[in-house]
Amino acid sequence: MVARIEKHGLQVARELVSFIEESALPGTGVSADAFWAGMARLTEELGPKNRALLDHREELQARIDAWHISRRNQAHDPAAYKAFLQEIGYLEPAGADFTIDTRNVDPEIATVPGPQLVVPVTNARYAINAANARWGSFYDALYGTDAMGTPPEGKGYDRGRGGRVVARARVFLDDIFPVDRISHTDARRYWVEKGELLIDGYRLKDASKFIGYRGDPDEPEAILLVNHGLHVELAFDAGHPIGRHDPANMSDIILEAAMTAIMDCEDSVACVDAEDKVQAYSNWLGLMTGDLTAEMEKGGKSFTRRLSPDRNYLSPEGTPFSLKGRALMWIRNVGHLMTNPAILDRDGNEIYEGLMDALCTTLIAMHDLKRDGGNSVEGSVYVVKPKMHGSAEVAFADTTFDIVEEVLGLPRHTVKLGIMDEERRTSVNLKECIRAAKHRVAFINTGFLDRTGDEIHTSMEAGAFSRKDFIKRKSWIGAYENQNVDIGLECGLQGRAQIGKGMWAAPDLMAAMLEQKIEHPRAGANTAWVPSPTAATLHATHYHRVDVFAAQDRIAAGGKRAYVETVLEIPLATYRAWSQKDIIREVENNAQGILGYVVRWIDQGVGCSKVPDINDVGLMEDRATCRISAQHIANWLHHGVVSRDQVQDAMQKMAAVVDRQNAGDPLYRPMAPDFDGIAFKAACDLVFKGREQPSGYTEPILHARRLELKAR
């Protein structure tokens, strides 16, 4: 039984009360009575409205299902479909043009394009690493990955590979910071003289890119350069193992990398009760106060990992200045769907978790607002709000934060909002969604995985979908990605907010990322998601090579590229010449991803995992990837592409494969050969009950099964 304490008619889990009153509130100036009264107000005023929004989702879905069923034996009529969606209010009328007026936005979001990390806030080590990924070693990123074509071999240092790393990094310097007459490869000395950087006596072709140094100007410890707003530090150390063999004693090249980081309370965590929420909130508090630590062990040695300090330099003229040592942090709240047993309302019902997150995470961020040199220098709190459907749900989020600011005594629009463009009803109404929060919007971002999962669920009755690889090739996805940028620019986000792109899901394939992910800044995205600090360092090179704001100007000048009619195209399988082998392999690949993710979610409470696919390529899996895989199998089941017995066989076969892949994990509980564990049942529920899940989301099943396991 959960021990609870009554607070303004709410029944609150004791551990949450203790955290809020003993840890979160002190130092904010907000009293416990005011806080709990505010939580009760949110619950009473907005709880019923939240429920009504969810009911409207289901009503629209039922009408769309009925429309497709009634036309199942007819050719799809795009014009009639669009007219129907307008008639039922799914497609909203487009209003007059406007420009967002979000104010007090930090430069990392508004004016400096760069990579963005997303990490589970429940893992303190990951959270600290993400915050500290503001700066990353280019040498380490090249040496420790396959970025140069092959991964490193063995544990010892390979001098030959190290030499190739230095050569590759010098090419980068020549490309971005060219020197008159010579190459950085040939340079033997860097120094500062009369406010200028000299390299063997020669100057940078663009002298304005030199902005600072550290140490003795004749023999500096570091040289600071800048390009497209991103900084690069050249480090010098004659005693360093690398520096001592370098003609100029250059020991490393440090890139400003993850400009922003999303600390996630949603897709990448497994938070199902008060205990879990307190862990998430505690880590967020440590990030906002700056004192979060994590105990680490590496190479047999224990140490404490902390947040990095700011970096200090001298200007070319010798004036001291500093740069932030940490990424600017967003906090991703949960969406409107889920409730949480941490707090019960007056009627004994779980309150909506999104409302709880809104008040708790903003309260915690007040610690940052009250200190110098913290997260936001502009006095803002940055909240990503996922899984919203249409402008009414965005307006609801805006109202939620109006009340949160009133409760906490914060100026109106202190909280800035990130809108995830990942649900179909938001995609096709994006302009109106932005309008609904035009005073708060500081971020829009595409998310292919959730967007596809919602596409499958929304169009479940339309027919069998293509295989997953072919869905990516359909015209709707390109239109979706282009429209996100087009509308963002149309609504004035340039220079005020982030227009983002989604995740690179293969953390071990950095050579492929370097080749492909440059398309994101070229497409006008001033941020894009990466799976690791190392990936952030490598992806940062793309923002040096591409002037994103110039790319946005070209895109805006070229006119609109995507229209809602194309976004509404349904990626059905138009030609199904699939062999049984093709079908089973597709199902097995989906099943492996689901099982590999769910087994750790349920049994270990791990919300984000690197799961090997059917070809043993490690892919980052979270609830979004699980949603698309589960909905895809559910769709094929519904339309008879595959039978229930075939899916059950695939689930059991791949459970044994996942067991083998996790054989080295001492905490892992095998699913085979009995297939009667809670985790395996949860994975099967996601598939066999997938069609009846709200919007195809995985959360209701995962939460219920995780609570079942914790109750044991």
Side-chain angles (χ1 to χ4, degrees):
M1 294 294 292
V2 177
R4 299 186 181 276
I5 300 174
E6 191 274 334
K7 295 288 182 180
H8 283 269
L10 304 175
Q11 297 296 321
V12 188
R14 185 182 299 275
E15 56 261 58
L16 181 59
V17 172
S18 297
F19 168 76
I20 292 294
E21 297 188 0
E22 297 170 16
S23 300
L25 283 169
T28 64
V30 179
S31 70
D33 187 70
F35 176 85
W36 294 116
M39 187 70 79
R41 178 187 171 190
L42 279 174
T43 302
E44 292 165 9
E45 289 186 22
L46 298 186
K49 295 178 181 178
N50 196 327
R51 181 68 262 165
L53 290 170
L54 298 178
D55 289 343
H56 188 54
R57 288 185 192 178
E58 294 303 311
E59 176 191 347
L60 290 175
Q61 185 61 58
R63 296 183 73 175
I64 292 170
D65 287 345
W67 194 89
H68 286 306
I69 290 171
S70 70
R71 289 160 176 78
R72 185 158 287 166
N73 297 320
Q74 305 173 24
H76 181 65
D77 185 339
Y81 184 48
K82 180 183 177 183
F84 162 71
L85 294 177
Q86 290 171 327
E87 176 189 332
I88 66 174
Y90 186 99
L91 262 180
E92 305 171 27
D97 290 345
F98 71 98
T99 298
I100 65 168
D101 58 3
T102 315
R103 302 181 186 278
N104 303 321
V105 179
D106 285 83
E108 294 95 328
I109 289 172
T111 58
V112 185
Q116 187 167 64
L117 271 170
V118 185
V119 294
V121 74
T122 47
N123 188 308
R125 178 168 64 90
Y126 290 177
I128 293 170
N129 286 348
N132 291 348
R134 177 66 172 260
W135 298 87
S137 165
F138 194 28
Y139 282 5
D140 287 351
L142 291 172
Y143 187 94
T145 70
D146 72 342
M148 298 190 301
T150 58
E153 297 180 0
K155 294 184 178 180
Y157 178 68
D158 182 337
R159 286 278 301 276
R161 184 177 180 84
R164 293 193 296 276
V165 165
V166 171
R168 173 77 172 266
R170 291 297 215 281
V171 169
F172 169 77
L173 292 181
D174 283 340
D175 289 345
I176 308 302
F177 305 103
V179 186
D180 279 330
R181 302 186 188 180
I182 68 165
S183 164
H184 285 278
T185 301
D186 302 321
R188 294 184 172 274
R189 185 183 171 211
Y190 293 71
W191 75 95
V192 179
E193 185 177 305
K194 296 180 180 178
E196 287 190 304
L197 173 62
L198 296 179
I199 303 160
D200 288 358
Y202 300 105
R203 294 171 175 79
L204 292 175
K205 289 185 177 180
D206 183 350
S208 67
K209 291 187 175 184
F210 166 61
I211 63 166
Y213 67 97
R214 188 167 52 243
D216 185 339
D218 288 332
E219 294 184 4
E221 299 171 12
I223 294 293
L224 187 66
L225 308 173
V226 69
N227 177 62
H228 296 162
L230 284 174
H231 298 91
V232 174
E233 179 185 301
L234 311 182
F236 301 90
D237 184 353
H240 189 275
I242 305 299
R244 77 165 65 106
H245 295 289
D246 187 274
N249 299 133
M250 191 182 296
S251 56
D252 206 348
I253 299 173
I254 310 296
L255 304 187
E256 193 173 23
M259 299 303 294
T260 53
I262 297 175
M263 303 298 167
D264 191 17
C265 294
E266 194 236 4
D267 260 2
S268 67
V269 304
C271 290
V272 300
D273 56 17
E275 176 188 31
D276 296 336
K277 296 301 290 188
V278 167
Q279 180 186 13
Y281 293 157
S282 295
N283 287 348
W284 178 235
L285 177 62
L287 292 167
M288 291 295 94
T289 58
D291 59 9
L292 182 65
T293 61
E295 299 304 314
M296 303 278 296
E297 186 171 313
K298 191 173 183 179
K301 295 183 179 180
S302 298
F303 61 96
T304 301
R305 180 152 290 172
R306 294 180 168 84
L307 293 170
S308 296
D310 290 341
R311 302 173 79 88
N312 299 314
Y313 302 94
L314 297 172
S315 72
E317 297 75 29
T319 303
F321 71 99
S322 63
L323 297 176
K324 286 175 69 171
R326 301 154 307 284
L328 182 78
M329 288 172 269
W330 291 79
I331 181 76
R332 183 158 68 166
N333 288 183
V334 304
H336 296 325
L337 174 66
M338 294 303 295
T339 61
N340 193 287
I343 303 177
L344 306 181
D345 66 14
R346 294 180 185 275
D347 298 320
N349 300 313
E350 297 178 7
I351 75 165
Y352 285 103
E353 192 173 353
L355 300 177
M356 181 169 70
D357 272 359
L359 187 58
C360 291
T361 61
T362 305
L363 167 75
I364 290 166
M366 290 177 68
H367 289 273
D368 176 71
L369 300 179
K370 292 179 176 293
R371 68 191 183 106
D372 294 329
N375 190 49
S376 172
V377 300
E378 294 289 342
S380 292
V381 177
Y382 298 99
V383 176
V384 176
K385 191 68 179 178
K387 295 182 172 58
M388 295 188 288
H389 295 235
S391 65
E393 296 196 9
V394 178
F396 177 78
D398 182 60
T399 298
T400 298
F401 287 106
D402 284 349
I403 295 175
V404 166
E405 288 160 349
E406 291 174 14
V407 169
L408 300 178
L410 294 172
R412 181 57 51 90
H413 303 140
T414 293
V415 177
K416 305 303 185 286
L417 200 61
I419 299 174
M420 294 296 301
D421 177 10
E422 58 187 350
E423 305 298 321
R424 192 171 185 258
R425 205 165 119 223
T426 293
S427 296
V428 297
N429 299 299
L430 183 58
K431 183 176 180 179
E432 297 312 302
C433 290
I434 295 173
R435 189 195 306 275
K438 67 178 183 178
H439 307 297
R440 296 189 188 276
V441 175
F443 165 106
I444 59 174
N445 198 90
T446 54
F448 166 77
L449 295 165
D450 260 316
R451 179 65 181 79
T452 306
D454 191 58
E455 183 73 33
I456 297 172
H457 188 83
T458 302
S459 306
M460 182 67 71
E461 297 293 350
F465 270 65
S466 294
R467 291 153 66 184
K468 276 169 48 176
D469 281 348
F470 287 86
I471 290 175
K472 298 178 183 179
R473 305 176 196 176
K474 300 281 188 175
S475 56
W476 76 275
I477 189 65
Y480 160 61
E481 293 286 355
N482 285 341
Q483 181 188 251
N484 188 75
V485 176
D486 289 348
I487 292 179
L489 296 176
E490 181 183 322
C491 295
L493 270 68
Q494 187 185 52
R496 296 183 178 92
Q498 290 176 319
I499 300 175
K501 296 289 186 184
M503 179 67 76
W504 177 263
D508 298 328
L509 303 183
M510 291 294 98
M513 188 198 77
L514 279 172
E515 178 183 352
Q516 298 175 38
K517 204 169 174 67
I518 194 170
E519 295 305 320
H520 283 166
R522 285 174 177 165
N526 57 334
T527 195
W529 286 4
V530 289
S532 68
T534 297
T537 301
L538 294 171
H539 186 38
T541 64
H542 293 148
Y543 296 89
H544 285 284
R545 298 186 185 281
V546 178
D547 183 341
V548 177
F549 291 131
Q552 290 180 346
D553 288 341
R554 289 193 297 272
I555 290 167
K560 199 167 186 178
R561 300 169 299 165
Y563 296 88
V564 70
E565 289 82 1
T566 309
V567 180
L568 283 172
E569 288 184 8
I570 303 171
L572 299 178
T574 53
Y575 178 67
R576 286 166 52 183
W578 302 328
S579 68
Q580 275 297 301
K581 182 179 179 181
D582 290 335
I583 292 170
I584 296 303
R585 183 172 180 82
E586 183 82 6
V587 171
E588 287 179 353
N589 195 26
N590 280 330
Q592 181 172 12
I594 294 167
L595 288 159
Y597 176 68
V598 169
V599 68
R600 300 191 73 209
W601 208 102
I602 298 296
D603 287 350
Q604 299 181 33
V606 176
C608 184
S609 300
K610 185 170 74 171
V611 177
D613 69 3
I614 205 165
N615 299 309
D616 282 327
V617 175
L619 300 176
M620 296 304 296
E621 299 276 347
D622 64 6
R623 288 204 297 263
T625 61
C626 191
R627 179 188 187 190
I628 181 177
S629 296
Q631 287 298 295
H632 195 260
I633 297 179
N635 174 265
W636 277 17
L637 270 169
H638 185 52
H639 292 284
V641 177
V642 66
S643 71
R644 185 183 179 94
D645 286 345
Q646 286 175 315
V647 172
Q648 188 69 45
D649 288 346
M651 296 293 283
Q652 292 187 356
K653 176 182 175 181
M654 301 320 291
V657 171
V658 171
D659 286 349
R660 290 196 298 273
Q661 290 173 333
N662 286 274
D665 181 356
L667 300 178
Y668 184 81
R669 302 172 189 172
M671 292 178 283
D674 297 329
F675 308 112
D676 60 356
I678 294 175
F680 185 78
K681 292 177 182 177
C684 290
D685 287 347
L686 290 172
V687 172
F688 295 120
K689 299 179 181 179
R691 197 161 59 91
E692 62 199 59
Q693 297 310 302
S695 301
Y697 289 130
T698 62
E699 287 93 321
I701 286 171
L702 290 177
H703 280 231
R705 288 296 193 178
R706 173 70 177 160
L707 284 167
E708 179 186 349
L709 184 139
K710 292 186 79 170
R712 290 188 176 182

